Amino acid sequence: MPTLAVAAAIFRSSPKLRSFSSLSKIMDNVTPPKPGFRAASSFVYDKAFVNGEWVAASSGKTFEVLNPANGKLIGSVPDMDATDTENAIKVAYKAFQSWKETTAKERSALLRRWGELMVENKEELSKLLTTEMGKPLAESAGELGYGAGFLELFAEEAKRVEGDIIQTPIKTRRLLVLKQPIGVSGMITPWNFPSAMITRKAGAAIAAGCTVVLKPAEDTPYSALALCELAKEAGIPPGVLNVVTCSRDNASQVGRALCESPLVTKMSFTGSTVVGKLLLQQCASTVKKVSLELGGNAPFIVFQSADVDAAVQGAMGAKFRCSGQTCVCANRIYVHESIYDEFVQKLAATVEKDLKVGDGIAPGTTQGPLINKKAVEKIEAHVQDAVTKGAKVVCGGKSKGGNFFEPTVLSEVTGDMRCSKEEIFGPIAGILRFKTEEEVVGLANATSSGLAGYFYSRDLGQIWRVAERLESGLVGVNEGVISVPDAPFGGWKESGLGREGGRYGIDEYLEMKYVCMGGLN
Ligand code: NAP
């Protein structure tokens, strides 16, 4: 009898069989499938997903996806363009006409099942995520849990979309407020959270009764496509979720097609501030509702009264998670002058003891590769710039070959260095000194970003003052990792528009309608 390995090999060698339903037919012949069981390769799809089907680009072009840990080819996926995107938009528009008529209870059940399938297949999805993105397996599993959490949350929130009846100033009238799905929602997502950034958006949209056309990042299309298969298996109808894959070369035309289409009434983007601003301009042509989750430059402040050991642990999570490649990563670590040397020494010792650089798939790895060579070059340039301007390398500081970079602690960092002024997006902890609360809050806010901020203090008055004065959408007080599906996520200033997650996330996909019923004698 053929083994599962043989079945997987048949699957790998036959492009026509690259869909779960085809694979499961092979599997059915060789072994009774266990509920939720899949072979590792069953989540690698080499087609985009439109109208519930696996489709190629109309041009027939594809692009390659590489494993950032070793540069090896994972596979190729369709390199779609504006024409393919317009087709997917039409599909989503048609599907919207029936999807918006479903009840919240129906949508809720499907979303819940989609989330359950993510959890049931967490192990294989984590391997896939690590293979294309690089983060350690444990972090990938964490992202899958976080991502599934949004589907669970929005399955619940779908049923809580309520309107209002307003007190009427005119006796013959009754005034009502309805909340209705906004329509086809375009989405563009980044590579650093290739699964959770999708469910955070698509979960809310689908719960509200909207349909979706989503473009994942060039580096990480596979996690997006795997989610499509699970959505299909959960029973989400064709056309409700569509994923258009494309290379970096085609990203601007696909983005423009989404932003400028009159059939798309909502655009949601997570990525860099530069691209966010461009998309916002493009959306102006059709006055779309826009959500933007953009870059950050998070301050992490350690006050004199802080528990230094707890602050070190908090900084480890806030700085080195995902090798420093999250939008909420601590970017500028301000430490009170009285505890500066102690904090620097303890942080460097913890980095050297606890962090292990390597392929995210290997057991024990805590620091995977950066996403590509360009990212490594940027981090090298940051270190060089800081050292030239007077910073000291306490540990790390060098590339380790390939896309790997040593987790790095820099002391004597000042505000004029690139690592203080720009989003680092890599494993460099730059530590600055401060003297007073007023001074450090001013410094923390002196940036055009306003996504996350963190501080450690045991002074209750100071905790309230600083939490209220930090100009950011998220504040961690004595905590370094604070994102949960249940809380609103989003930035102030140039870090974005709108909120995702929590009970607020669904509002981004709803329109309000005032209905006046007159002639009521
Ligand atoms: P990015 O270059 O802006 O890319 C994000 C997405 O936009 C990718 O899908 C990318 O496609 C696409 N894109 C790039 N240029 C485009 C264009 N001209 N038109 C349409 N789409 C375009 O950002 P990134 O470097 O991948 O991600 C890192 C950034 O995202 C950081 O600034 C980080 O802070 C931010 N981020 C923010 C949040 C948040 O919630 N606030 C969460 C995660 C990340 P390609 O991949 O094909 O280039």
Side-chain angles (χ1 to χ4, degrees):
M1 189 168 93
T3 62
L4 288 178
V6 173
I10 297 168
F11 168 76
R12 275 194 296 273
S13 66
S14 171
K16 282 192 188 150
L17 296 179
R18 281 183 188 261
S19 77
F20 172 70
S21 52
S22 306
L23 177 68
S24 69
K25 278 182 203 125
I26 299 172
M27 294 295 196
D28 287 347
N29 291 334
V30 294
T31 186
K34 287 184 251 161
F37 169 83
R38 276 181 180 80
S41 57
S42 68
F43 281 117
V44 181
Y45 297 94
D46 68 351
K47 297 284 184 292
F49 188 77
V50 177
N51 209 14
E53 289 171 3
W54 298 102
V55 296
S58 53
S59 66
K61 289 186 184 158
T62 60
F63 66 96
E64 295 184 339
V65 184
L66 306 179
N67 180 334
N70 53 28
K72 286 188 184 156
L73 180 70
I74 303 171
S76 299
V77 295
D79 194 1
M80 294 183 134
D81 57 18
T83 308
D84 297 303
T85 309
E86 280 152 16
N87 177 46
I89 291 169
K90 282 184 199 142
V91 163
Y93 186 74
K94 185 159 179 259
F96 177 60
Q97 309 315 317
S98 49
W99 185 243
K100 68 181 177 184
E101 303 297 339
T102 55
T103 64
K105 191 175 163 76
E106 286 165 340
R107 296 194 295 275
S108 172
L110 298 179
L111 277 173
R112 185 177 294 281
R113 183 65 195 131
W114 189 17
E116 286 168 356
L117 285 169
M118 279 181 79
V119 174
E120 285 169 22
N121 293 285
K122 193 153 103 175
E123 202 178 319
E124 297 311 331
L125 292 171
S126 303
K127 284 184 202 156
L128 182 67
L129 202 160
T130 292
T131 305
E132 66 176 343
M133 188 274 155
K135 66 176 72 170
L137 264 183
E139 283 192 35
S140 293
E143 179 178 340
L144 264 302
Y146 179 54
F150 286 109
L151 299 183
E152 183 188 344
L153 176 93
F154 289 121
E156 291 158 0
E157 291 304 324
K159 294 187 279 185
R160 296 186 193 130
V161 174
E162 288 163 359
D164 277 315
I165 297 175
I166 299 170
Q167 289 294 334
T168 178
I170 300 165
K171 278 187 181 170
T172 56
R173 296 181 185 176
R174 295 294 179 270
L175 317 183
L176 300 92
V177 175
L178 309 183
K179 291 200 184 156
Q180 296 183 300
I182 191 164
V184 177
S185 302
M187 299 176 180
I188 300 181
T189 51
W191 48 265
N192 63 342
F193 286 89
S195 192
M197 292 305 97
I198 293 176
T199 55
R200 194 162 82 176
K201 293 181 192 305
I206 292 172
C210 298
T211 56
V212 173
V213 179
L214 183 142
K215 185 205 100 57
E218 179 196 60
D219 295 304
T220 57
Y222 288 115
S223 294
L225 297 173
L227 284 177
C228 292
E229 176 57 34
L230 295 183
K232 187 175 178 179
E233 192 173 335
I236 292 177
V240 172
L241 174 68
N242 305 281
V243 168
V244 171
T245 53
C246 75
S247 69
R248 202 148 284 145
D249 288 345
N250 282 359
S252 60
Q253 60 169 299
V254 168
R256 186 177 281 279
L258 287 170
C259 290
E260 295 187 349
S261 168
L263 298 184
V264 176
T265 34
K266 161 80 196 183
M267 191 68 204
S268 177
F269 170 73
T270 296
S272 61
T273 302
V274 171
V275 174
K277 285 181 182 178
L278 179 76
L279 300 181
L280 187 58
Q281 280 174 356
Q282 291 174 2
C283 285
S285 63
T286 48
V287 194
K288 284 189 203 342
K289 188 166 174 175
V290 179
S291 304
L292 300 172
E293 298 286 353
L294 308 178
N297 182 354
F300 184 105
I301 307 168
V302 188
F303 286 103
Q304 194 171 7
S305 69
D307 174 337
V308 174
D309 293 330
V312 166
Q313 282 310 316
M316 291 296 289
K319 178 68 252 182
F320 293 107
R321 189 165 61 103
C322 202
S323 298
Q325 302 172 110
T326 84
C327 51
V328 291
C329 270
N331 211 61
R332 296 166 289 152
I333 303 181
Y334 294 102
V335 181
H336 190 265
E337 59 180 0
S338 63
I339 50 170
Y340 186 89
D341 292 339
E342 180 190 358
F343 182 88
V344 169
Q345 178 267 319
K346 285 184 168 170
L347 183 67
T350 311
V351 165
E352 286 182 327
K353 180 168 73 67
D354 290 354
L355 297 187
K356 186 175 167 213
V357 179
D359 187 334
I361 288 284
T365 296
T366 63
Q367 298 282 286
L370 302 189
I371 190 68
N372 52 35
K373 195 162 174 286
K374 215 172 123 202
V376 177
E377 287 166 2
K378 183 184 157 201
I379 297 307
E380 279 173 329
H382 271 297
V383 173
Q384 196 173 355
D385 170 79
V387 170
T388 308
K389 291 175 180 157
K392 292 194 179 121
V393 178
V394 188
C395 68
K398 295 187 300 296
S399 152
K400 282 179 74 92
N403 293 335
F404 295 96
F405 199 90
E406 292 174 338
T408 298
V409 176
L410 300 177
S411 67
E412 311 309 331
V413 169
T414 51
D416 61 333
M417 298 175 185
R418 277 186 66 190
C419 64
S420 301
K421 291 195 287 194
E422 298 171 20
E423 186 180 31
I424 301 170
F425 234 59
I428 306 175
I431 311 180
L432 304 94
R433 278 176 211 272
F434 74 91
K435 283 189 171 65
T436 68
E437 178 186 312
E438 197 186 354
E439 172 203 4
V440 78
V441 170
L443 290 168
N445 289 337
T447 163
S448 57
S449 303
L451 188 54
Y454 308 87
F455 65 95
Y456 277 69
S457 169
R458 286 186 285 198
D459 172 341
L460 193 55
Q462 182 173 59
I463 287 174
W464 273 105
R465 279 193 306 277
V466 177
E468 288 176 355
R469 288 179 189 166
L470 283 180
E471 294 169 358
S472 60
L474 291 75
V475 175
V477 184
N478 296 323
E479 291 289 346
V481 179
I482 61 171
S483 301
V484 289
D486 319 73
F489 190 105
W492 287 18
K493 301 196 266 186
E494 293 189 13
S495 285
L497 291 174
R499 290 295 178 273
E500 293 189 329
R503 65 188 162 87
Y504 313 92
I506 200 166
D507 292 341
E508 302 289 333
Y509 298 92
L510 293 167
E511 277 286 22
M512 203 183 279
K513 185 183 282 171
Y514 159 51
V515 178
C516 174
M517 297 175 78
L520 303 173
N521 293 313

